Amino acid sequence: MKDLFQLLFIHIGTRRIWISPATNNPDTAWMSQQAKSFLQHCDDVELKHTIIMRDNDGKFQKGFDEVLEAGKCHVKKNTPASPNLNAFVERAVQTYEHECLDQFIVISPRQLNVIGREFQA
C-alpha cells in the first residue's frame, strides 16, 4: 500500500472546491505546480483569490508560497498546532473523505483523480 496525497482548496465565498491530482511524492515541484494549477483554475472560472490560508505542514515548501504570491495572493499561515482555526477547509476535507472516499477502495492515482474530479464537479 502507498499513501496518495491531494491538495484541496476551498473558495469561502462560493464554497467551490478545487482538488489537485494525486501523487505519492508531494515534493516541491509538485506543490508549486498545484499552486499554479489552482490559480489558473480561479482565472478560468473567474474566482477572486486574494488570501490563501494554509497550515504549517512541512510539505508546503517556499516555492508553493512564492507561486501564490506571484499570483497576487497573500499567503496567511495558521498558528502552529491549531488545526481548528481553518474550520472551512477542515469540514470540506471531512466531507470529501466521508461522503466520497469512504465509498471506494482506491487502487491507483488515476482512479483517485477521477473520483476527485467527479466530487469537485
Side-chain angles (χ1 to χ4, degrees), residues 91-111:
R91 179 60 186 160
V93 169
Q94 182 183 14
T95 299
Y96 180 46
E97 289 174 347
H98 291 273
E99 293 183 13
C100 183
L101 296 179
D102 285 353
Q103 312 305 316
F104 296 95
I105 297 174
V106 178
I107 58 172
S108 71
R110 184 176 170 195
Q111 180 190 16

Side-chain angles (χ1 to χ4, degrees), residues 11-31:
H11 186 267
I12 302 300
T14 61
R15 306 278 192 205
R16 288 183 178 178
I17 62 169
W18 181 83
I19 301 171
S20 74
T23 186
N24 59 357
N25 183 23
D27 59 7
T28 303
W30 182 82
M31 295 292 285

